[in-house]
């Protein structure tokens, strides 16, 4: 139940609230979605979108495409996607969205950190080949580590550590309140919301790299699908029931990550919208049990993000933005 100065803690209440918001948004937000299709338009981005490897054995019409009713288009416009090849100019004087500008630069830096960390895990020949080509190839996790090393010892835990460490720096670079917070409290906030942030980021990257396939991004540069799962557990100890592990992993992938990706495909956020979602996921108190001063900081920073997002909509001439924001907030409620 709702509590004073608290985010709704009851999962059922949050779900019912989101369901109501989403139903209103779905019926009233079509015009806003069309207007937002043009991207954020305020970024200077290098036109260097990395091309993923073709994932193995993907059908021409996957269950994802069937569930959506149409084939989603991959976004190759550099103004529609933010990653490690995105570099933004210094904050312009007089900017009416200084927080979002700062967050975009910090997120792009986070992507650079993750890219460098994951490339360092490659065989040295493969690493140098990518550095010579100037491209980061998206690949399956089974080909991401040294052949003689244990796959499970490196993936995905070590890459999650890189993400978590970079997330802390993202928060300190973007938000004064986060930077000035005690280190223990910063960690508590980031750790509490890390799974949500991972799901949000993986869905966004999966939508870009594999828009019409049943493939998800498990780390910054590795993907996973049912075909990859068949060989993912090959180096497990003999006592491990590999068939059961594959079955459970596939079920979890389709019930959680794939569902999140389907919603990301439907909403198709712009750069400004995604970065706003990323910040809202960090400043989240979905359990409603933080101390009152932390709750106040969370509320303050969420309001600051949403205020600038509204400014973005108004800049584009979109006055009826509530349905669109309702769809976006469904990811972080």
């Amino acid at each position: 139940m709702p509590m004073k100065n608290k985010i709704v803690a009851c999962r059922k209440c949050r779900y019912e609230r989101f369901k109501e918001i989403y139903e209103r948004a779905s019926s009233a937000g079509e015009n806003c979605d069309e207007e937002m299709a043009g991207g954020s338009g305020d970024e200077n981005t290098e036109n260097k979108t990395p091309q993923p490897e073709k994932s193995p054995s993907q059908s021409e019409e996957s269950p994802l495409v069937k569930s959506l009713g149409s084939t989603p288009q991959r976004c190759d416009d550099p103004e529609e996607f933010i990653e490690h090849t995105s570099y933004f100019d210094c904050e312009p004087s007089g900017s009416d969205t200084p927080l979002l500008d700062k967050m975009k630069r910090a997120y792009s830096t986070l992507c650079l950190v993750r890219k460098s960390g994951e490339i360092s895990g490659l065989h040295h020949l493969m690493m140098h080949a990518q550095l010579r080509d100037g491209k980061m190839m998206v690949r399956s996790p089974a080909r991401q580590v040294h052949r003689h090393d244990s796959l499970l010892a490196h993936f995905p835990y070590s890459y999650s550590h890189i993400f978590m460490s970079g997330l802390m720096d993202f928060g300190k670079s973007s938000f004064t309140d986060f930077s000035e917070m005690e280190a223990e409290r910063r960690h508590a906030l980031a750790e509490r919301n890390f799974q949500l942030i991972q799901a949000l980021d993986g869905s966004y990257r999966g939508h870009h790299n594999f828009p019409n396939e049943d493939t998800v991004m498990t780390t910054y540069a590795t993907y996973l699908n049912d075909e990859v799962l068949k060989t993912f557990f090959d180096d497990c100890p003999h006592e491990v029931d590999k068939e059961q592990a594959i079955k459970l992993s596939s079920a979890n992938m389709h019930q959680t990550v794939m569902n999140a990706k389907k919603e990301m495909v439907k909403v198709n956020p712009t750069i400004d919208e995604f970065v706003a979602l990323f910040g809202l996921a960090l400043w989240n108190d979905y359990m409603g049990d933080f101390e009152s001063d932390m709750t106040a900081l969370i509320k303050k920073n969420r309001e600051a993000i949403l205020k600038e997002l509204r400014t973005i909509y108004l800049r584009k001439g979109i006055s009826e933005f509530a349905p669109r924001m309702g769809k976006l907030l469904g990811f972080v409620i």
Side-chain angles (χ1 to χ4, degrees):
M1 295 190 55
M3 303 188 305
K4 184 176 182 181
N5 295 326
K6 288 278 187 178
I7 295 175
V8 176
C10 171
R11 290 181 179 271
K12 183 176 184 299
C13 294
R14 292 203 313 273
Y15 173 76
E16 293 296 335
R17 183 171 130 199
F18 163 63
K19 183 178 179 182
E20 179 183 351
I21 294 173
Y22 187 78
E23 288 176 350
R24 290 202 307 268
S26 297
S27 62
E30 294 182 0
N31 292 336
C32 185
D33 289 341
E34 292 174 359
E35 292 180 40
M36 289 305 299
S40 62
D42 298 312
E43 301 83 9
N44 295 320
T45 313
E46 291 187 11
N47 191 9
K48 293 183 181 178
T49 303
Q51 301 298 317
E53 293 181 343
K54 181 175 178 60
S55 58
S57 303
Q58 291 295 323
S59 61
E60 293 184 2
E61 187 171 347
S62 68
L64 173 62
V65 174
K66 292 178 181 178
S67 68
L68 294 173
S70 61
T71 301
Q73 298 298 313
R74 171 177 170 152
C75 173
D76 287 315
D77 183 345
E79 292 188 351
E80 294 283 351
F81 186 65
I82 181 171
E83 56 170 16
H84 66 276
T85 61
S86 307
Y87 301 94
F88 299 95
D89 291 338
C90 294
E91 183 178 320
S93 59
S95 170
D96 55 357
T97 55
L99 178 57
L100 283 177
D101 294 339
K102 189 185 300 183
M103 290 167 63
K104 284 185 286 189
R105 289 194 302 277
Y107 180 79
S108 185
T109 302
L110 170 60
C111 291
L112 279 171
V113 170
R114 296 178 68 192
K115 185 258 311 186
S116 297
E118 295 194 22
I119 283 184
S120 70
L122 293 171
H123 186 280
H124 72 280
L125 294 178
M126 191 178 296
M127 180 195 73
H128 284 291
Q130 292 197 20
L131 294 177
R132 281 195 304 270
D133 294 340
K135 297 179 181 179
M136 181 197 74
M137 299 302 297
V138 178
R139 60 188 64 251
S140 66
R143 299 175 60 188
Q144 187 75 4
V145 299
H146 298 294
R147 183 178 298 276
H148 62 273
D149 289 336
S150 169
L151 176 63
L152 296 181
H154 288 77
F155 177 85
Y157 306 111
S158 61
Y159 296 155
S160 294
H161 295 166
I162 295 171
F163 192 4
M164 178 66 183
S165 177
L167 176 64
M168 298 287 286
D169 290 329
F170 165 85
K172 288 188 287 186
S173 299
S174 301
F175 304 99
T176 301
D177 287 335
F178 192 88
S179 179
E180 294 179 350
M181 198 182 297
E182 294 179 2
E184 185 176 354
R185 303 187 78 193
R186 283 198 302 265
H187 177 264
L189 180 63
E191 185 181 39
R192 169 81 63 87
N193 295 310
F194 188 54
Q195 283 189 318
L196 171 62
I197 292 169
Q198 281 184 305
L200 180 69
D201 191 82
S203 300
Y204 178 70
R205 314 203 72 74
H207 166 39
H208 171 74
N209 290 316
F210 303 98
N212 58 350
E213 299 178 12
D214 294 320
T215 300
V216 298
M217 296 300 295
T218 45
T219 72
Y220 188 76
T222 61
Y223 65 80
L224 195 64
N225 55 40
D226 287 326
E227 286 298 316
V228 173
L229 278 174
K230 292 177 182 179
T231 58
F232 183 79
F233 296 97
D234 280 354
D235 65 345
C236 284
H238 295 295
E239 60 269 19
V240 174
D241 187 340
K242 296 180 183 179
E243 290 187 4
Q244 181 69 0
I246 292 171
K247 181 180 178 181
L248 292 176
S249 297
S250 178
N252 179 68
M253 180 177 69
H254 284 275
Q255 291 172 6
T256 56
V257 186
M258 279 304 305
N259 285 336
K261 180 184 172 183
K262 289 176 185 177
E263 293 304 314
M264 185 67 70
V265 172
K266 291 177 183 177
V267 175
N268 192 26
T270 64
I271 288 177
D272 288 303
E273 288 176 328
F274 171 73
V275 170
L277 282 174
F278 197 85
L280 291 170
L282 176 62
W283 292 102
N284 200 335
D285 184 19
Y286 66 93
M287 294 182 66
D289 60 354
F290 275 122
E291 296 178 357
S292 59
D293 59 337
M294 176 67 89
T295 301
L297 283 179
I298 291 172
K299 180 180 179 182
K300 171 188 171 184
N301 284 277
R302 287 175 70 90
E303 289 177 350
I305 295 170
L306 291 174
K307 179 181 179 181
E308 292 202 1
L309 186 57
R310 288 193 292 268
T311 300
I312 294 291
Y313 291 138
L314 294 174
R315 183 192 298 164
K316 292 176 176 289
I318 302 171
S319 56
E320 297 297 328
F321 48 74
R324 177 71 180 178
M325 292 185 75
K327 290 183 179 181
L328 293 170
L329 290 174
F331 287 102
V332 292
I333 288 181

